[in-house]
Amino acid sequence: MDPITLAVIDNRLRAIVEEMGEAMLRTSYSQILNSSRDFSVALCSAEGALVAQADHIPVHVGALGFAVEAVLARFAEIRPGDVFLLNDPYHGGSHLPDLTIVLPVFAEDGARCFFSVVRAHITDVGGATHGGYNPEATEIWQEGIRIPPIRLGEGGALREDLLAMLCANTRIPRDVRGDLMAMVGAARLGAARLQELLARHGRQGLLAAVAAILDLAEAHARRILASWPDGVYRGEAFLDDDGHGREDIAIRATCTKQGGSLHVDLSESDPQCAGFVNSSYPNMVSAVRMAFAFLLDPEVSKNEGAFRPLSITARPGSVVWAEEGRAVTLCTSHCSNEIVEAIIRALQQACPERAMGGWGRRFRVAIKGRDPRRGRGFVWHLFHARPGGGASSAGDGWNAAGEWHSAGGLKFGSIEMAEVRFPLFFARHEFRPNSGGAGKHRGGLGCELLLRVEAEGPAIANTAGDGARHGSAGIAGGADGLPHRYSILRHDGSERLLRTKEAGVAIAPGESLHILSAGGGGWGPPSERDPAAIAADRREGYVA
């Protein structure tokens, strides 16, 4: 196929996934999707290879092929009009709140050619605590409903009995049903666009173009790797704790670079934990791919071809690859962030100009209560007060950009819209001075948020996160960013510090959350910072 046609098809595939993402954004029901955008979409080959993705949540996308493989392993017969659903971390998923729709795509001659895939974080999936994160869980059955690959629809219609069962296992059935319909709609849109491409270029022509696109991405990634010095590089990162008394849990990466290939060995990471910071296997692979992708050129298509130069070793029973049945709900945030950080710390020795300072860690708060204005219950997830992004050789980190595992893909929605939809009042939401790690280039700032809860009667908060002990890593001589500090300001004037992993914290009406989120890590020695940049930081109030 000529290069121009190939480029057109490559861009058309990217346009399809971007359109699928817009469909999700505009039709989903819950705030976590239509404001904070906690979803991802992709097109995969008939075997499950990642063909195209939109720029949504990196830690989702690197694991989507496992969902397709789980469907292929479970169902011997896959027909036009089938719709598959799963969330089981041990059978194609990453963690329980991420539901995944897998839709097969057929050519006119009946040959299965692709899968259209949508993964979205659902507001509530049942379990012992609201919001999908149970910091007290020690096994997966305490975390929510577990869905192995199932046929949710057949013959073009969805099974109402399965939908009813799913909605009966959530505290917010209306939103969950609406979000599932949005996911199915986005997947069907992707399938329809792929069938248009198949009709235009023919099955053989389009599949040949996809194979060439993957080969080009592989060649591009190998050229970049070949420019780094060969060697064995080691790095480590630490989780604060597992919520059950175990602290400073180590993720260790040994990265062996040879020619145009990279091998990442996580076998020396600490044993699996009692709590939910353990990683499922697909999530671990996705985190390693994510770290590798961050070190490539922006122009490299992040598809299966780009990841062919990468191989991975890990140890079953470790925190990065937990045994089936372990609690893993926090894994898409932690230990994903720490896997990325350990790899970047290692490879900064080979490519310091490509490495970046650590991004802030996730510190989620989910609040359940009753809205006195509407007379009904609500569950709200905190996506505001994002932590800072890490600095790089190109410049300062982005302020309030979020965590490494989402790389800016997660957004905080409109404050005014949140106040309309939930009984909340945002008294303050601004950058947190001095939070970014110092360096030749400064880490991005975290935020300060003062949020008053105006629920009817006490609201209940659960926390799920990390980064109150360990700040975002400084790289290439840069300093770490400040860690998180979250608290509740009580009516009596006292302050109650929030741990990163606890459940059932009562917030009385009119009491406030005071949130100081982490800054990003700095890049390069602080002594090399441009005096003009220092003066600008002081003028803007970024540093005191």
Side-chain angles (χ1 to χ4, degrees):
M1 187 170 289
D2 68 275
I4 293 176
T5 303
L6 197 62
V8 169
I9 291 175
D10 187 22
N11 281 281
R12 181 71 181 114
L13 292 169
R14 296 184 194 186
I16 290 172
V17 288
E18 289 171 2
E19 187 180 6
M20 292 168 66
E22 284 299 309
M24 275 295 298
L25 184 65
R26 296 170 186 273
T27 61
S28 52
Y29 276 41
S30 62
Q31 162 259 344
I32 201 170
L33 300 182
N34 60 33
S35 291
S36 298
R37 307 181 184 219
D38 197 350
F39 62 82
S40 296
V41 298
L43 305 176
C44 293
S45 73
E47 297 76 32
L50 180 63
V51 171
Q53 58 152 312
D55 291 332
H56 290 126
I57 312 300
V59 76
H60 283 170
V61 180
L64 290 183
F66 291 99
V68 176
E69 292 173 7
V71 169
L72 292 171
R74 171 66 180 83
F75 295 96
E77 186 178 4
I78 296 176
R79 302 177 295 267
D82 282 348
V83 178
F84 300 97
L85 173 71
L86 61 89
N87 77 341
D88 191 334
Y90 298 102
H91 295 90
S94 51
H95 71 164
L96 293 183
D98 284 341
L99 269 59
T100 306
I101 291 289
V102 178
L103 195 74
V105 182
F106 294 83
E108 290 182 352
D109 62 3
R112 189 177 69 243
C113 300
F114 298 99
F115 285 93
S116 178
V117 186
V118 178
R119 175 164 288 177
H121 188 111
I122 299 302
T123 302
D124 186 88
V125 290
T129 58
H130 65 273
Y133 290 84
N134 180 6
E136 297 177 346
T138 57
E139 56 184 11
I140 194 170
W141 297 278
Q142 298 166 337
E143 297 189 289
I145 185 170
R146 184 178 177 188
I147 310 167
I150 62 172
R151 186 179 271 118
L152 182 64
E154 51 191 342
L158 299 180
R159 290 188 52 182
E160 183 59 36
D161 56 341
L162 290 180
L163 281 171
M165 183 272 293
L166 294 169
C167 291
N169 280 276
T170 176
R171 296 168 177 84
I172 315 174
R174 174 185 175 275
D175 282 8
V176 169
R177 179 181 284 269
D179 289 342
L180 275 170
M181 295 303 98
M183 294 170 68
V184 172
R188 284 176 171 164
L189 175 62
R193 296 292 185 258
L194 277 173
Q195 286 168 337
E196 293 170 5
L197 265 185
L198 284 162
R200 183 179 184 88
H201 296 282
R203 176 166 61 88
Q204 296 298 334
L206 184 57
L207 294 181
V210 167
I213 289 167
L214 300 186
D215 289 345
L216 287 168
E218 177 185 1
H220 196 165
R222 290 194 188 277
R223 283 198 302 272
I224 293 168
L225 273 172
S227 69
W228 305 351
D230 288 350
V232 178
Y233 307 98
R234 293 179 173 83
E236 63 181 9
F238 293 90
L239 289 152
D240 285 358
D241 64 278
D242 71 344
H244 293 264
R246 185 171 157 196
E247 296 183 337
D248 297 331
I249 301 154
I251 312 294
R252 300 185 179 91
T254 300
C255 302
T256 303
K257 185 269 165 183
Q258 186 171 13
S261 298
L262 177 67
H263 181 73
V264 175
D265 187 348
L266 300 174
S267 299
E268 296 181 7
S269 298
D270 279 356
Q272 61 194 9
C273 300
F276 62 175
V277 299
N278 302 299
S279 180
S280 60
Y281 181 81
N283 181 77
M284 178 269 289
V285 172
S286 188
V288 176
R289 289 178 171 180
M290 178 169 52
F292 180 55
F294 288 164
L295 300 174
L296 298 177
D297 292 347
E299 295 79 15
V300 178
S301 295
K302 308 307 187 296
N303 56 35
E304 199 75 22
F307 300 129
R308 287 174 185 163
L310 178 66
S311 58
I312 303 168
T313 298
R315 176 171 49 85
S318 65
V319 66
V320 301
W321 185 0
E323 297 169 347
E324 183 163 350
R326 291 279 178 161
V328 295
T329 296
L330 195 58
C331 73
T332 55
S333 299
H334 307 288
C335 58
S336 283
N337 258 41
E338 290 69 33
I339 292 172
V340 174
E341 186 172 302
I343 293 170
I344 298 295
R345 280 181 180 271
L347 291 176
Q348 67 169 318
Q349 303 165 69
C351 55
E353 76 289 348
R354 291 178 176 269
M356 71 292 294
W359 287 49
R361 304 187 183 192
R362 186 79 170 103
F363 193 162
R364 178 186 300 269
V365 180
I367 300 174
K368 178 183 73 171
R370 187 170 177 83
D371 188 340
R373 302 168 302 177
R374 294 177 172 84
R376 67 186 187 200
F378 71 93
V379 175
W380 181 76
H381 292 264
L382 172 68
F383 277 86
H384 295 76
R386 312 297 291 170
S392 69
S393 61
D396 294 343
W398 289 317
N399 299 328
E403 305 83 10
W404 232 335
H405 71 276
S406 60
L410 291 177
K411 315 292 184 184
F412 63 81
S414 160
I415 285 175
E416 291 78 12
M417 186 62 69
E419 290 177 333
V420 167
R421 296 176 69 177
F422 301 95
L424 305 169
F425 178 72
F426 289 75
R428 184 184 307 145
H429 191 266
E430 57 194 40
F431 292 143
R432 178 189 181 187
N434 301 318
S435 55
K440 179 178 180 179
H441 300 300
R442 171 185 47 74
L445 301 185
C447 293
E448 179 179 6
L449 168 63
L450 188 62
L451 177 69
R452 190 165 71 239
V453 179
E454 299 177 337
E456 178 185 306
I460 302 299
N462 297 332
T463 67
D466 207 79
R469 283 167 54 85
H470 297 285
S472 311
I475 292 292
D480 293 353
L482 289 183
H484 296 298
R485 189 182 189 278
Y486 283 29
S487 64
I488 299 173
L489 303 183
R490 299 298 195 189
H491 284 308
D492 62 6
S494 64
E495 181 182 37
R496 198 272 203 195
L497 284 178
L498 285 171
R499 302 191 305 274
T500 54
K501 303 167 187 73
E502 59 178 321
V505 181
I507 306 176
E511 293 184 334
S512 297
L513 287 169
H514 186 215
I515 291 168
L516 298 171
S517 66
W523 187 95
S527 60
E528 297 180 8
R529 186 159 179 80
D530 185 346
I534 296 173
D537 282 345
R538 288 176 177 158
R539 186 170 60 251
E540 295 291 338
Y542 292 167
V543 298

